[in-house]
Amino acid sequence: MISEIMMVVTLVSIWLSLLMSIITLSGATSFWLKHSQIRADVLPLKRYPMITLVVPAHNEEIVIAQTAKAILELNYPQDKAELLLYADNCSDDTLKEMHKLIAQPRYFGRNVKIINRHGTGGKAGVLNDALKIAHGEYIGVYDADAIPERNALYFLVQKALEKPERYVAVFGRNKTRNAQQNFLTRCINQEIVVTQRIQHCGIWHMFKIGRIPGTNFIIQTSFVKSIGGWRNGALTEDTDISFKIMQQNRLIALAYNSEAFQQEPETVHDYYFQRLRWAKGNYQVVIHNFRHLFDRSNWRVKLETFFWFNAAIVLSDVIFFANVVTLLLRLVVPSLTVPFTFGESNILIAQLLLFNWLLMINLYVLQISIAMSSQFGQATTSQLWLALASYFTYSQLFIVVSVHAVISVTLDAILHRNGNVWVKTKRFDD
């Protein structure tokens, strides 16, 4: 009886996740059909609010100079921006590279402050320190490897000024700058493009839901102070504060023209532990906000908390592996019964699962194809073949990461251990 209920729940979860994916894809298609006809002119803004730009850097000697230089060259009035560069508990030459760049004559007189930090709290701790000394009406955040396009900040501010009473934060898009390095980075590039151009655009267009990324965003300084700042030590401080904004019935707006270029992991080891950190951090936030499914919280919080897609993946894998292991054991112990079936004849359920599986593959490839076609130079035949290859390889790794994250978060709670351990992502000189 329990196995049959689990089978039904799994099938329902798969269908709901597919339905949500179709809705999101439809929203993104509508979004790009509308906005692809709009010319993005860089005209003078009605006002230029003061912006405090913060760059947290922990052992980032390889990339920090490129990023700081790009920020200093942004198309925004110099007297309306201050830059805070944090060398956070560094054991390399990050601090030296910062001073070397700022010492150049072209940056003389610029509003830049370099802080050699030895505090705790990770990236959230850096942002909280910056909050105390920030003079800006908005705080903007760029990771040490994220090089903003020259008009990135302009488009963020432009969107924020549309409805400043509602748009507490505004985020842009991020691109993979080392996409052609190897098979892994090509797969990551597809994932990033789908996330940015399908998921983010689709849910903003349909539901006005935005998600603060780790980089290339601005947020009202007064709002951050009103909620007590960022949560120190949070693995995904961006997700955590996104939920807090939605709980206040405020919006995180999308500025789709704002772009930054970031490095992605080039080895499976670095990729795995980066994504594990993200997954653990997101699960921690979801668990913390799970109670809001049953109270009078903002409906956007409920929609973001309800992760049907993850449920479908985990449950379907549990059923698949349980049945496979049992079938293998039956070679030794013939009396064993396959746990997840609807009676002796399992043909119908096998056909249904096969149909769902084929539907998921087609939807996966369709999402990638539409996402790539909306970005200049990405819609190629090779991307289609890469999408098929990545479904059976790269995307399956997410299942392992998700299960690992769930187990790790559970053990952290049971054993009362510190689960906010940060594994440094390796940078490359490009």
Side-chain angles (χ1 to χ4, degrees), residues 385-398:
W385 290 114
L386 178 63
L388 288 170
S390 69
Y391 181 86
F392 296 98
T393 54
Y394 174 80
S395 65
Q396 301 307 312
L397 186 57
F398 172 75

Side-chain angles (χ1 to χ4, degrees), residues 71-74 76 78 81 106-113:
I71 292 174
L72 289 168
E73 300 293 334
L74 284 169
Y76 202 80
Q78 294 183 9
R106 63 191 299 183
Y107 301 127
F108 179 77
R110 294 295 297 272
N111 191 356
V112 182
K113 187 173 184 180

Side-chain angles (χ1 to χ4, degrees), residues 57-60 86-95 98 116-118:
H58 172 64
N59 291 339
E60 301 282 8
Y86 278 87
D88 182 32
N89 294 286
C90 294
S91 57
D92 65 354
D93 288 333
T94 298
L95 184 66
M98 290 177 175
N116 187 19
R117 183 177 184 270
H118 299 284

Side-chain angles (χ1 to χ4, degrees), residues 185-196:
T185 59
R186 289 184 179 93
C187 291
I188 294 175
N189 176 60
Q190 284 195 342
E191 176 197 353
I192 296 296
V193 173
V194 170
T195 300
Q196 303 282 332

Side-chain angles (χ1 to χ4, degrees), residues 177-287:
R177 61 195 253 198
N178 56 333
Q180 300 304 316
Q181 204 63 19
N182 54 42
F183 176 76
L184 176 62
T185 59
R186 289 184 179 93
C187 291
I188 294 175
N189 176 60
Q190 284 195 342
E191 176 197 353
I192 296 296
V193 173
V194 170
T195 300
Q196 303 282 332
R197 302 185 78 87
I198 299 297
Q199 295 179 9
H200 286 178
C201 293
I203 63 174
W204 170 252
H205 187 62
M206 298 287 287
F207 308 112
K208 289 296 179 285
I209 291 178
R211 300 166 181 168
I212 291 179
T215 187
N216 194 28
F217 72 90
I218 60 173
I219 186 169
Q220 290 178 4
T221 307
S222 59
F223 178 83
V224 180
K225 289 181 177 180
S226 72
I227 62 173
W230 283 268
R231 183 165 61 87
N232 272 347
L235 290 176
T236 50
E237 77 296 326
D238 44 3
T239 304
D240 184 69
I241 203 166
S242 294
F243 271 85
K244 291 178 180 178
I245 292 172
M246 288 186 288
Q247 287 166 6
Q248 299 284 336
N249 198 30
R250 311 289 281 279
L251 297 180
I252 305 165
L254 169 65
Y256 68 94
N257 283 322
S258 176
E259 297 180 340
F261 299 83
Q262 62 186 16
Q263 281 193 355
E264 297 295 343
E266 296 184 3
T267 66
V268 174
H269 177 273
D270 289 338
Y271 166 85
Y272 186 90
F273 284 99
Q274 182 194 67
R275 293 305 199 266
L276 179 63
R277 171 171 61 83
W278 291 358
K280 282 190 64 176
N282 287 335
Y283 285 141
Q284 288 171 354
V285 174
V286 169
I287 291 171

Side-chain angles (χ1 to χ4, degrees), residues 21 45 52 62 92 97 108 135 150 190 206 222 264 299 310 317 334 375 415 425:
S21 296
L45 299 175
T52 297
I62 296 177
D92 65 354
E97 290 296 323
F108 179 77
H135 297 99
R150 191 166 185 272
Q190 284 195 342
M206 298 287 287
S222 59
E264 297 295 343
W299 63 270
N310 287 354
D317 283 339
Q375 183 156 309
L415 302 177
T425 302

Side-chain angles (χ1 to χ4, degrees), residues 7 11 38 92 96 99 177 188 200 243 251 297 301 340:
M7 290 283 284
L11 289 171
I38 300 175
D92 65 354
K96 180 180 177 181
H99 283 291
R177 61 195 253 198
I188 294 175
H200 286 178
F243 271 85
L251 297 180
S297 296
V301 176
F340 297 105

